[in-house]
Amino acid sequence: GEDVEQSLFLSVREGDSSVINCTYTDSSSTYLYWYKQEPGAGLQLLTYIFSNMDMKQDQRLTVLLNKKDKHLSLRIADTQTGDSAIYFCAETYSSASKIIFGSGTRLSIRP
Amino acid sequence: GAVVSQHPSRVICKSGTSVKIECRSLDFQATTMFWYRQFPKQSLMLMATSNEGSKATYEQGVEKDKFLINHASLTLSTLTVTSAHPEDSSFYICSALPRVADTDTQYFGPGTRLTVL
């Protein structure tokens, strides 16, 4: 069945790059998303990538997709304290389909 | 653009009462809205898919008589938790899919935290 997996925690030093990894099982996934959730808040769409793309960059965010290995990563350059949050990887076959979320990776920033 | 609101943001109720949560797309029309539930420190689980003017489609294990969904207009979907019990306490998040979209993206509301005493 459909499954999305992430590591639960990541701790990085302020100013360093953060790399959050995700694996998924559904090879028919068309859209792959990264969402950010701050404490007590809803989801903020950070970025998304189509399955026919390998990489997408948006300011400090870089998404890499290895479709063969079903591996998705999110790199945050120059990580700041405001980046502390839970990051969810998610995938879907189409926008009208349900989104399957990973367990979320809690990113903490140390000085 | 593409803002989704939820009301209320937080609600505390007594066991046995019913609670209605609203999800509105503020600046676009949405033919499809989704309702998710998130337990503490866990991921989001889809409860149901709501299509305007038709019955909602519930995920396996979600009681449709317990969680009533109404999608009466292109900008509003409601989730009513009937006869709420403490185990229904959770964070409920909706998302909306624009009727006319140049990107296939669901937009999420800020969530509603329900606490049942």
Side-chain angles (χ1 to χ4, degrees):
Chain A
E2 307 146 330
D3 194 19
V4 180
E5 294 188 355
Q6 303 175 238
S7 55
L8 293 180
F9 301 99
L10 177 66
S11 176
V12 299
R13 195 184 306 271
E14 187 175 2
D16 286 353
S17 292
S18 305
V19 179
I20 304 171
N21 294 301
C22 168
T23 57
Y24 60 98
T25 58
D26 189 353
S27 58
S28 63
S29 296
T30 305
Y31 304 92
L32 296 133
Y33 304 96
W34 283 104
Y35 287 90
K36 177 182 181 182
Q37 186 180 36
E38 297 185 49
L43 294 179
Q44 174 193 354
L45 176 65
L46 285 179
T47 187
Y48 64 94
I49 190 169
F50 293 110
S51 59
N52 61 358
M53 299 168 65
D54 298 322
M55 187 193 83
K56 181 178 181 181
Q57 186 163 5
D58 183 4
Q59 299 182 333
R60 291 193 297 125
L61 305 179
T62 303
V63 178
L64 294 178
L65 174 62
N66 182 327
K67 195 173 181 182
K68 174 176 171 289
D69 294 338
K70 301 190 186 69
H71 182 267
L72 184 74
S73 69
L74 173 69
R75 177 177 180 270
I76 304 172
D78 187 25
T79 309
Q80 302 298 308
T81 53
D83 295 324
S84 292
I86 300 175
Y87 291 81
F88 289 96
C89 168
E91 56 96 6
T92 187
Y93 173 70
S94 77
S95 61
S97 300
K98 63 180 181 182
I99 295 179
I100 307 298
F101 287 89
S103 55
T105 298
R106 185 178 296 274
L107 176 64
S108 62
I109 316 301
R110 57 184 191 274
Chain B
V3 177
V4 177
S5 70
Q6 284 185 238
H7 178 79
S9 58
R10 185 182 293 266
V11 57
I12 301 173
C13 69
K14 292 182 179 179
S15 191
T17 59
S18 294
V19 175
K20 180 185 282 189
I21 302 170
E22 293 184 349
C23 176
R24 290 182 187 273
S25 54
L26 297 185
D27 49 2
F28 64 97
Q29 293 181 328
T31 49
T32 304
M33 290 184 173
F34 302 85
W35 285 96
Y36 294 84
R37 183 174 181 177
Q38 185 181 30
F39 290 103
K41 298 184 179 179
Q42 294 190 29
S43 188
L44 283 78
M45 299 298 295
L46 180 68
M47 298 174 65
T49 302
S50 166
N51 291 297
E52 187 265 337
S54 63
K55 290 184 178 180
T57 302
Y58 290 81
E59 294 298 299
Q60 192 172 11
V62 178
E63 299 176 60
K64 62 180 180 181
D65 295 330
K66 172 77 171 174
F67 299 100
L68 300 178
I69 292 173
N70 184 278
H71 192 157
S73 77
L74 287 172
T75 59
L76 174 64
S77 177
T78 61
L79 168 68
T80 302
V81 183
T82 62
S83 186
H85 290 282
E87 58 265 30
D88 299 324
S89 299
S90 192
F91 195 54
Y92 292 88
I93 302 177
C94 72
S95 71
L97 179 67
R99 185 166 68 98
V100 178
D102 55 359
T103 60
D104 293 310
T105 304
Q106 297 175 25
Y107 294 92
F108 283 80
T112 296
R113 184 163 300 283
L114 170 63
T115 303
V116 185
L117 303 177

mmCIF file of all heavy atoms in Angstrom, chain B residues 1-45:
data_model
loop_
_atom_site.group_PDB
_atom_site.id
_atom_site.type_symbol
_atom_site.label_atom_id
_atom_site.label_comp_id
_atom_site.label_asym_id
_atom_site.label_seq_id
_atom_site.Cartn_x
_atom_site.Cartn_y
_atom_site.Cartn_z
ATOM 1 N N GLY B 1 -3.080 34.888 -2.408
ATOM 2 C CA GLY B 1 -4.378 34.258 -2.616
ATOM 3 C C GLY B 1 -4.433 32.872 -2.053
ATOM 4 O O GLY B 1 -3.513 32.420 -1.390
ATOM 5 N N ALA B 2 -5.554 32.162 -2.320
ATOM 6 C CA ALA B 2 -5.766 30.783 -1.894
ATOM 7 C C ALA B 2 -5.689 30.635 -0.379
ATOM 8 O O ALA B 2 -4.856 29.897 0.136
ATOM 9 C CB ALA B 2 -4.788 29.840 -2.574
ATOM 10 N N VAL B 3 -6.570 31.360 0.291
ATOM 11 C CA VAL B 3 -6.613 31.301 1.751
ATOM 12 C C VAL B 3 -7.795 30.449 2.191
ATOM 13 O O VAL B 3 -8.915 30.592 1.683
ATOM 14 C CB VAL B 3 -6.747 32.711 2.362
ATOM 15 C CG1 VAL B 3 -6.860 32.627 3.883
ATOM 16 C CG2 VAL B 3 -5.552 33.575 1.960
ATOM 17 N N VAL B 4 -7.523 29.572 3.144
ATOM 18 C CA VAL B 4 -8.557 28.721 3.728
ATOM 19 C C VAL B 4 -8.644 29.030 5.215
ATOM 20 O O VAL B 4 -7.616 29.051 5.903
ATOM 21 C CB VAL B 4 -8.242 27.235 3.508
ATOM 22 C CG1 VAL B 4 -9.284 26.350 4.195
ATOM 23 C CG2 VAL B 4 -8.185 26.919 2.018
ATOM 24 N N SER B 5 -9.841 29.273 5.682
ATOM 25 C CA SER B 5 -10.017 29.560 7.113
ATOM 26 C C SER B 5 -10.814 28.441 7.766
ATOM 27 O O SER B 5 -11.570 27.716 7.100
ATOM 28 C CB SER B 5 -10.738 30.893 7.315
ATOM 29 O OG SER B 5 -12.098 30.775 6.912
ATOM 30 N N GLN B 6 -10.635 28.323 9.062
ATOM 31 C CA GLN B 6 -11.408 27.374 9.859
ATOM 32 C C GLN B 6 -11.958 28.090 11.080
ATOM 33 O O GLN B 6 -11.289 28.952 11.659
ATOM 34 C CB GLN B 6 -10.554 26.184 10.302
ATOM 35 C CG GLN B 6 -10.281 25.174 9.217
ATOM 36 C CD GLN B 6 -9.531 23.959 9.713
ATOM 37 O OE1 GLN B 6 -8.454 23.646 9.221
ATOM 38 N NE2 GLN B 6 -10.093 23.247 10.678
ATOM 39 N N HIS B 7 -13.152 27.703 11.453
ATOM 40 C CA HIS B 7 -13.773 28.306 12.631
ATOM 41 C C HIS B 7 -14.544 27.245 13.391
ATOM 42 O O HIS B 7 -15.290 26.466 12.778
ATOM 43 C CB HIS B 7 -14.720 29.437 12.221
ATOM 44 C CG HIS B 7 -15.424 30.054 13.375
ATOM 45 N ND1 HIS B 7 -14.830 30.977 14.205
ATOM 46 C CD2 HIS B 7 -16.662 29.846 13.872
ATOM 47 C CE1 HIS B 7 -15.676 31.330 15.132
ATOM 48 N NE2 HIS B 7 -16.793 30.671 14.959
ATOM 49 N N PRO B 8 -14.370 27.139 14.688
ATOM 50 C CA PRO B 8 -13.455 27.949 15.505
ATOM 51 C C PRO B 8 -12.028 27.423 15.422
ATOM 52 O O PRO B 8 -11.794 26.352 14.880
ATOM 53 C CB PRO B 8 -14.028 27.746 16.911
ATOM 54 C CG PRO B 8 -14.605 26.358 16.872
ATOM 55 C CD PRO B 8 -15.152 26.188 15.476
ATOM 56 N N SER B 9 -11.107 28.148 15.964
ATOM 57 C CA SER B 9 -9.722 27.692 15.992
ATOM 58 C C SER B 9 -9.494 26.742 17.166
ATOM 59 O O SER B 9 -8.610 25.878 17.115
ATOM 60 C CB SER B 9 -8.764 28.873 16.086
ATOM 61 O OG SER B 9 -9.038 29.634 17.245
ATOM 62 N N ARG B 10 -10.321 26.935 18.181
ATOM 63 C CA ARG B 10 -10.183 26.086 19.363
ATOM 64 C C ARG B 10 -11.557 25.949 20.022
ATOM 65 O O ARG B 10 -12.297 26.931 20.109
ATOM 66 C CB ARG B 10 -9.199 26.724 20.347
ATOM 67 C CG ARG B 10 -8.864 25.905 21.565
ATOM 68 C CD ARG B 10 -7.926 26.694 22.468
ATOM 69 N NE ARG B 10 -6.625 26.896 21.833
ATOM 70 C CZ ARG B 10 -5.576 26.113 22.016
ATOM 71 N NH1 ARG B 10 -5.661 25.073 22.822
ATOM 72 N NH2 ARG B 10 -4.437 26.380 21.427
ATOM 73 N N VAL B 11 -11.890 24.754 20.431
ATOM 74 C CA VAL B 11 -13.179 24.549 21.091
ATOM 75 C C VAL B 11 -13.034 23.493 22.170
ATOM 76 O O VAL B 11 -12.348 22.480 21.977
ATOM 77 C CB VAL B 11 -14.281 24.174 20.077
ATOM 78 C CG1 VAL B 11 -13.910 22.928 19.281
ATOM 79 C CG2 VAL B 11 -15.627 23.999 20.737
ATOM 80 N N ILE B 12 -13.660 23.780 23.301
ATOM 81 C CA ILE B 12 -13.723 22.836 24.412
ATOM 82 C C ILE B 12 -15.191 22.533 24.666
ATOM 83 O O ILE B 12 -16.000 23.454 24.793
ATOM 84 C CB ILE B 12 -13.068 23.416 25.680
ATOM 85 C CG1 ILE B 12 -11.598 23.760 25.414
ATOM 86 C CG2 ILE B 12 -13.177 22.428 26.844
ATOM 87 C CD1 ILE B 12 -10.921 24.497 26.557
ATOM 88 N N CYS B 13 -15.539 21.279 24.734
ATOM 89 C CA CYS B 13 -16.945 20.933 24.933
ATOM 90 C C CYS B 13 -17.061 19.768 25.906
ATOM 91 O O CYS B 13 -16.076 19.083 26.212
ATOM 92 C CB CYS B 13 -17.610 20.574 23.605
ATOM 93 S SG CYS B 13 -17.035 19.034 22.880
ATOM 94 N N LYS B 14 -18.271 19.582 26.382
ATOM 95 C CA LYS B 14 -18.536 18.484 27.306
ATOM 96 C C LYS B 14 -18.845 17.215 26.521
ATOM 97 O O LYS B 14 -19.365 17.264 25.392
ATOM 98 C CB LYS B 14 -19.713 18.830 28.218
ATOM 99 C CG LYS B 14 -19.424 19.956 29.195
ATOM 100 C CD LYS B 14 -20.631 20.198 30.101
ATOM 101 C CE LYS B 14 -20.338 21.309 31.100
ATOM 102 N NZ LYS B 14 -21.516 21.581 31.969
ATOM 103 N N SER B 15 -18.542 16.108 27.130
ATOM 104 C CA SER B 15 -18.820 14.819 26.516
ATOM 105 C C SER B 15 -20.313 14.680 26.230
ATOM 106 O O SER B 15 -21.151 15.050 27.051
ATOM 107 C CB SER B 15 -18.352 13.717 27.470
ATOM 108 O OG SER B 15 -18.371 12.471 26.845
ATOM 109 N N GLY B 16 -20.636 14.210 25.044
ATOM 110 C CA GLY B 16 -22.036 14.017 24.667
ATOM 111 C C GLY B 16 -22.609 15.124 23.804
ATOM 112 O O GLY B 16 -23.667 14.961 23.193
ATOM 113 N N THR B 17 -21.923 16.235 23.747
ATOM 114 C CA THR B 17 -22.412 17.344 22.921
ATOM 115 C C THR B 17 -21.867 17.210 21.497
ATOM 116 O O THR B 17 -20.962 16.418 21.223
ATOM 117 C CB THR B 17 -21.982 18.697 23.496
ATOM 118 O OG1 THR B 17 -20.547 18.753 23.556
ATOM 119 C CG2 THR B 17 -22.545 18.886 24.897
ATOM 120 N N SER B 18 -22.450 17.997 20.584
ATOM 121 C CA SER B 18 -22.001 18.006 19.193
ATOM 122 C C SER B 18 -21.282 19.308 18.893
ATOM 123 O O SER B 18 -21.631 20.361 19.424
ATOM 124 C CB SER B 18 -23.193 17.844 18.244
ATOM 125 O OG SER B 18 -23.769 16.563 18.402
ATOM 126 N N VAL B 19 -20.302 19.219 18.057
ATOM 127 C CA VAL B 19 -19.475 20.383 17.714
ATOM 128 C C VAL B 19 -19.385 20.500 16.193
ATOM 129 O O VAL B 19 -19.106 19.516 15.508
ATOM 130 C CB VAL B 19 -18.048 20.240 18.295
ATOM 131 C CG1 VAL B 19 -17.165 21.389 17.834
ATOM 132 C CG2 VAL B 19 -18.100 20.162 19.804
ATOM 133 N N LYS B 20 -19.604 21.708 15.702
ATOM 134 C CA LYS B 20 -19.508 21.950 14.263
ATOM 135 C C LYS B 20 -18.269 22.781 13.962
ATOM 136 O O LYS B 20 -18.028 23.814 14.596
ATOM 137 C CB LYS B 20 -20.741 22.685 13.736
ATOM 138 C CG LYS B 20 -20.689 22.953 12.227
ATOM 139 C CD LYS B 20 -21.855 23.781 11.746
ATOM 140 C CE LYS B 20 -23.111 22.962 11.619
ATOM 141 N NZ LYS B 20 -24.196 23.728 10.951
ATOM 142 N N ILE B 21 -17.514 22.329 12.981
ATOM 143 C CA ILE B 21 -16.309 23.033 12.547
ATOM 144 C C ILE B 21 -16.514 23.461 11.100
ATOM 145 O O ILE B 21 -16.926 22.648 10.262
ATOM 146 C CB ILE B 21 -15.060 22.135 12.651
ATOM 147 C CG1 ILE B 21 -14.882 21.634 14.087
ATOM 148 C CG2 ILE B 21 -13.816 22.884 12.185
ATOM 149 C CD1 ILE B 21 -13.819 20.553 14.217
ATOM 150 N N GLU B 22 -16.229 24.724 10.818
ATOM 151 C CA GLU B 22 -16.401 25.243 9.467
ATOM 152 C C GLU B 22 -15.063 25.377 8.749
ATOM 153 O O GLU B 22 -14.062 25.765 9.358
ATOM 154 C CB GLU B 22 -17.081 26.614 9.507
ATOM 155 C CG GLU B 22 -18.500 26.601 9.992
ATOM 156 C CD GLU B 22 -19.138 27.974 9.910
ATOM 157 O OE1 GLU B 22 -18.416 28.959 9.676
ATOM 158 O OE2 GLU B 22 -20.369 28.060 10.071
ATOM 159 N N CYS B 23 -15.093 25.111 7.470
ATOM 160 C CA CYS B 23 -13.923 25.286 6.617
ATOM 161 C C CYS B 23 -14.357 26.133 5.430
ATOM 162 O O CYS B 23 -15.290 25.754 4.705
ATOM 163 C CB CYS B 23 -13.399 23.926 6.154
ATOM 164 S SG CYS B 23 -12.011 23.997 4.998
ATOM 165 N N ARG B 24 -13.711 27.279 5.251
ATOM 166 C CA ARG B 24 -14.094 28.181 4.171
ATOM 167 C C ARG B 24 -12.904 28.504 3.274
ATOM 168 O O ARG B 24 -11.808 28.774 3.768
ATOM 169 C CB ARG B 24 -14.615 29.506 4.739
ATOM 170 C CG ARG B 24 -15.950 29.410 5.421
ATOM 171 C CD ARG B 24 -16.417 30.782 5.906
ATOM 172 N NE ARG B 24 -17.624 30.666 6.713
ATOM 173 C CZ ARG B 24 -18.848 30.656 6.227
ATOM 174 N NH1 ARG B 24 -19.036 30.780 4.914
ATOM 175 N NH2 ARG B 24 -19.895 30.548 7.016
ATOM 176 N N SER B 25 -13.155 28.496 1.994
ATOM 177 C CA SER B 25 -12.165 29.018 1.050
ATOM 178 C C SER B 25 -12.538 30.485 0.832
ATOM 179 O O SER B 25 -13.646 30.802 0.411
ATOM 180 C CB SER B 25 -12.199 28.225 -0.260
ATOM 181 O OG SER B 25 -13.498 28.195 -0.814
ATOM 182 N N LEU B 26 -11.628 31.367 1.171
ATOM 183 C CA LEU B 26 -11.965 32.792 1.237
ATOM 184 C C LEU B 26 -11.903 33.500 -0.105
ATOM 185 O O LEU B 26 -12.660 34.418 -0.356
ATOM 186 C CB LEU B 26 -11.042 33.495 2.238
ATOM 187 C CG LEU B 26 -11.163 33.022 3.683
ATOM 188 C CD1 LEU B 26 -10.290 33.878 4.582
ATOM 189 C CD2 LEU B 26 -12.605 33.035 4.154
ATOM 190 N N ASP B 27 -10.995 33.108 -0.965
ATOM 191 C CA ASP B 27 -10.829 33.852 -2.208
ATOM 192 C C ASP B 27 -10.847 32.956 -3.430
ATOM 193 O O ASP B 27 -10.365 33.348 -4.496
ATOM 194 C CB ASP B 27 -9.528 34.666 -2.161
ATOM 195 C CG ASP B 27 -8.343 33.830 -1.723
ATOM 196 O OD1 ASP B 27 -8.517 32.615 -1.502
ATOM 197 O OD2 ASP B 27 -7.246 34.389 -1.602
ATOM 198 N N PHE B 28 -11.412 31.780 -3.273
ATOM 199 C CA PHE B 28 -11.564 30.900 -4.425
ATOM 200 C C PHE B 28 -12.697 29.916 -4.150
ATOM 201 O O PHE B 28 -13.134 29.737 -3.011
ATOM 202 C CB PHE B 28 -10.258 30.143 -4.717
ATOM 203 C CG PHE B 28 -9.827 29.182 -3.621
ATOM 204 C CD1 PHE B 28 -10.136 27.825 -3.704
ATOM 205 C CD2 PHE B 28 -9.103 29.633 -2.523
ATOM 206 C CE1 PHE B 28 -9.736 26.942 -2.710
ATOM 207 C CE2 PHE B 28 -8.697 28.756 -1.523
ATOM 208 C CZ PHE B 28 -9.011 27.409 -1.623
ATOM 209 N N GLN B 29 -13.166 29.307 -5.209
ATOM 210 C CA GLN B 29 -14.197 28.286 -5.083
ATOM 211 C C GLN B 29 -13.554 26.916 -5.086
ATOM 212 O O GLN B 29 -12.600 26.662 -5.824
ATOM 213 C CB GLN B 29 -15.202 28.400 -6.242
ATOM 214 C CG GLN B 29 -16.023 29.673 -6.206
ATOM 215 C CD GLN B 29 -17.014 29.750 -7.342
ATOM 216 O OE1 GLN B 29 -16.763 29.245 -8.435
ATOM 217 N NE2 GLN B 29 -18.160 30.363 -7.105
ATOM 218 N N ALA B 30 -14.097 26.051 -4.254
ATOM 219 C CA ALA B 30 -13.528 24.718 -4.107
ATOM 220 C C ALA B 30 -14.603 23.657 -4.293
ATOM 221 O O ALA B 30 -15.553 23.588 -3.522
ATOM 222 C CB ALA B 30 -12.887 24.568 -2.730
ATOM 223 N N THR B 31 -14.447 22.856 -5.323
ATOM 224 C CA THR B 31 -15.404 21.777 -5.520
ATOM 225 C C THR B 31 -15.106 20.617 -4.571
ATOM 226 O O THR B 31 -16.003 19.855 -4.225
ATOM 227 C CB THR B 31 -15.347 21.252 -6.959
ATOM 228 O OG1 THR B 31 -13.974 21.004 -7.311
ATOM 229 C CG2 THR B 31 -15.930 22.258 -7.929
ATOM 230 N N THR B 32 -13.873 20.505 -4.155
ATOM 231 C CA THR B 32 -13.494 19.407 -3.280
ATOM 232 C C THR B 32 -12.778 19.936 -2.054
ATOM 233 O O THR B 32 -11.887 20.782 -2.175
ATOM 234 C CB THR B 32 -12.566 18.417 -4.012
ATOM 235 O OG1 THR B 32 -13.203 17.946 -5.194
ATOM 236 C CG2 THR B 32 -12.222 17.232 -3.119
ATOM 237 N N MET B 33 -13.203 19.474 -0.908
ATOM 238 C CA MET B 33 -12.523 19.788 0.346
ATOM 239 C C MET B 33 -12.235 18.477 1.064
ATOM 240 O O MET B 33 -12.966 17.501 0.918
ATOM 241 C CB MET B 33 -13.367 20.717 1.223
ATOM 242 C CG MET B 33 -13.481 22.128 0.677
ATOM 243 S SD MET B 33 -14.388 23.218 1.807
ATOM 244 C CE MET B 33 -14.157 24.808 1.017
ATOM 245 N N PHE B 34 -11.161 18.484 1.812
ATOM 246 C CA PHE B 34 -10.721 17.291 2.526
ATOM 247 C C PHE B 34 -10.673 17.599 4.026
ATOM 248 O O PHE B 34 -10.313 18.698 4.438
ATOM 249 C CB PHE B 34 -9.325 16.862 2.069
ATOM 250 C CG PHE B 34 -9.217 16.575 0.593
ATOM 251 C CD1 PHE B 34 -8.986 17.597 -0.308
ATOM 252 C CD2 PHE B 34 -9.335 15.284 0.116
ATOM 253 C CE1 PHE B 34 -8.884 17.336 -1.674
ATOM 254 C CE2 PHE B 34 -9.228 15.010 -1.248
ATOM 255 C CZ PHE B 34 -9.006 16.042 -2.140
ATOM 256 N N TRP B 35 -11.014 16.605 4.817
ATOM 257 C CA TRP B 35 -10.923 16.743 6.272
ATOM 258 C C TRP B 35 -9.896 15.747 6.801
ATOM 259 O O TRP B 35 -9.962 14.542 6.526
ATOM 260 C CB TRP B 35 -12.278 16.492 6.935
ATOM 261 C CG TRP B 35 -13.223 17.635 6.748
ATOM 262 C CD1 TRP B 35 -14.194 17.765 5.798
ATOM 263 C CD2 TRP B 35 -13.271 18.838 7.534
ATOM 264 N NE1 TRP B 35 -14.838 18.966 5.934
ATOM 265 C CE2 TRP B 35 -14.297 19.642 6.993
ATOM 266 C CE3 TRP B 35 -12.560 19.299 8.643
ATOM 267 C CZ2 TRP B 35 -14.632 20.884 7.521
ATOM 268 C CZ3 TRP B 35 -12.885 20.538 9.169
ATOM 269 C CH2 TRP B 35 -13.915 21.316 8.613
ATOM 270 N N TYR B 36 -8.945 16.288 7.588
ATOM 271 C CA TYR B 36 -7.887 15.473 8.164
ATOM 272 C C TYR B 36 -7.964 15.573 9.690
ATOM 273 O O TYR B 36 -8.463 16.543 10.255
ATOM 274 C CB TYR B 36 -6.506 15.974 7.739
ATOM 275 C CG TYR B 36 -6.210 15.840 6.254
ATOM 276 C CD1 TYR B 36 -6.636 16.816 5.352
ATOM 277 C CD2 TYR B 36 -5.484 14.763 5.762
ATOM 278 C CE1 TYR B 36 -6.351 16.705 3.999
ATOM 279 C CE2 TYR B 36 -5.197 14.652 4.414
ATOM 280 C CZ TYR B 36 -5.635 15.623 3.542
ATOM 281 O OH TYR B 36 -5.348 15.513 2.195
ATOM 282 N N ARG B 37 -7.387 14.574 10.306
ATOM 283 C CA ARG B 37 -7.294 14.557 11.767
ATOM 284 C C ARG B 37 -5.839 14.313 12.136
ATOM 285 O O ARG B 37 -5.152 13.497 11.493
ATOM 286 C CB ARG B 37 -8.171 13.434 12.313
ATOM 287 C CG ARG B 37 -8.231 13.336 13.808
ATOM 288 C CD ARG B 37 -9.247 12.292 14.227
ATOM 289 N NE ARG B 37 -9.318 12.202 15.664
ATOM 290 C CZ ARG B 37 -10.163 11.424 16.323
ATOM 291 N NH1 ARG B 37 -11.011 10.658 15.661
ATOM 292 N NH2 ARG B 37 -10.150 11.397 17.632
ATOM 293 N N GLN B 38 -5.373 15.040 13.130
ATOM 294 C CA GLN B 38 -3.984 14.884 13.560
ATOM 295 C C GLN B 38 -3.940 14.694 15.068
ATOM 296 O O GLN B 38 -4.358 15.576 15.829
ATOM 297 C CB GLN B 38 -3.160 16.106 13.160
ATOM 298 C CG GLN B 38 -1.680 15.968 13.477
ATOM 299 C CD GLN B 38 -0.887 17.201 13.088
ATOM 300 O OE1 GLN B 38 -1.395 18.314 13.104
ATOM 301 N NE2 GLN B 38 0.376 17.013 12.734
ATOM 302 N N PHE B 39 -3.409 13.565 15.489
ATOM 303 C CA PHE B 39 -3.197 13.329 16.911
ATOM 304 C C PHE B 39 -1.855 13.929 17.309
ATOM 305 O O PHE B 39 -0.988 14.130 16.456
ATOM 306 C CB PHE B 39 -3.232 11.828 17.214
ATOM 307 C CG PHE B 39 -4.607 11.239 17.079
ATOM 308 C CD1 PHE B 39 -4.960 10.480 15.960
ATOM 309 C CD2 PHE B 39 -5.558 11.441 18.061
ATOM 310 C CE1 PHE B 39 -6.215 9.944 15.842
ATOM 311 C CE2 PHE B 39 -6.827 10.903 17.939
ATOM 312 C CZ PHE B 39 -7.159 10.159 16.823
ATOM 313 N N PRO B 40 -1.678 14.202 18.614
ATOM 314 C CA PRO B 40 -0.438 14.845 19.061
ATOM 315 C C PRO B 40 0.808 14.102 18.582
ATOM 316 O O PRO B 40 0.887 12.879 18.698
ATOM 317 C CB PRO B 40 -0.560 14.816 20.586
ATOM 318 C CG PRO B 40 -2.024 14.812 20.833
ATOM 319 C CD PRO B 40 -2.624 14.003 19.719
ATOM 320 N N LYS B 41 1.706 14.855 18.016
ATOM 321 C CA LYS B 41 2.997 14.343 17.565
ATOM 322 C C LYS B 41 2.840 13.249 16.511
ATOM 323 O O LYS B 41 3.718 12.392 16.383
ATOM 324 C CB LYS B 41 3.816 13.835 18.749
ATOM 325 C CG LYS B 41 4.137 14.941 19.753
ATOM 326 C CD LYS B 41 5.038 14.450 20.873
ATOM 327 C CE LYS B 41 5.339 15.594 21.837
ATOM 328 N NZ LYS B 41 6.195 15.177 22.954
ATOM 329 N N GLN B 42 1.767 13.273 15.799
ATOM 330 C CA GLN B 42 1.554 12.297 14.739
ATOM 331 C C GLN B 42 1.236 13.007 13.430
ATOM 332 O O GLN B 42 1.079 14.218 13.377
ATOM 333 C CB GLN B 42 0.424 11.333 15.116
ATOM 334 C CG GLN B 42 0.747 10.439 16.288
ATOM 335 C CD GLN B 42 -0.285 9.355 16.477
ATOM 336 O OE1 GLN B 42 -0.919 8.913 15.523
ATOM 337 N NE2 GLN B 42 -0.445 8.915 17.709
ATOM 338 N N SER B 43 1.161 12.221 12.398
ATOM 339 C CA SER B 43 0.909 12.787 11.080
ATOM 340 C C SER B 43 -0.578 13.022 10.866
ATOM 341 O O SER B 43 -1.407 12.729 11.728
ATOM 342 C CB SER B 43 1.463 11.844 10.014
ATOM 343 O OG SER B 43 1.403 12.454 8.756
ATOM 344 N N LEU B 44 -0.904 13.571 9.715
ATOM 345 C CA LEU B 44 -2.304 13.816 9.374
ATOM 346 C C LEU B 44 -2.895 12.578 8.731
ATOM 347 O O LEU B 44 -2.274 11.946 7.876
ATOM 348 C CB LEU B 44 -2.415 14.978 8.382
ATOM 349 C CG LEU B 44 -2.266 16.374 8.937
ATOM 350 C CD1 LEU B 44 -0.814 16.704 9.195
ATOM 351 C CD2 LEU B 44 -2.868 17.387 7.980
ATOM 352 N N MET B 45 -4.114 12.269 9.133
ATOM 353 C CA MET B 45 -4.813 11.147 8.553
ATOM 354 C C MET B 45 -6.087 11.666 7.885
ATOM 355 O O MET B 45 -6.875 12.366 8.524
ATOM 356 C CB MET B 45 -5.171 10.112 9.627
ATOM 357 C CG MET B 45 -3.969 9.527 10.318
ATOM 358 S SD MET B 45 -2.877 8.624 9.197
ATOM 359 C CE MET B 45 -3.943 7.278 8.725
#
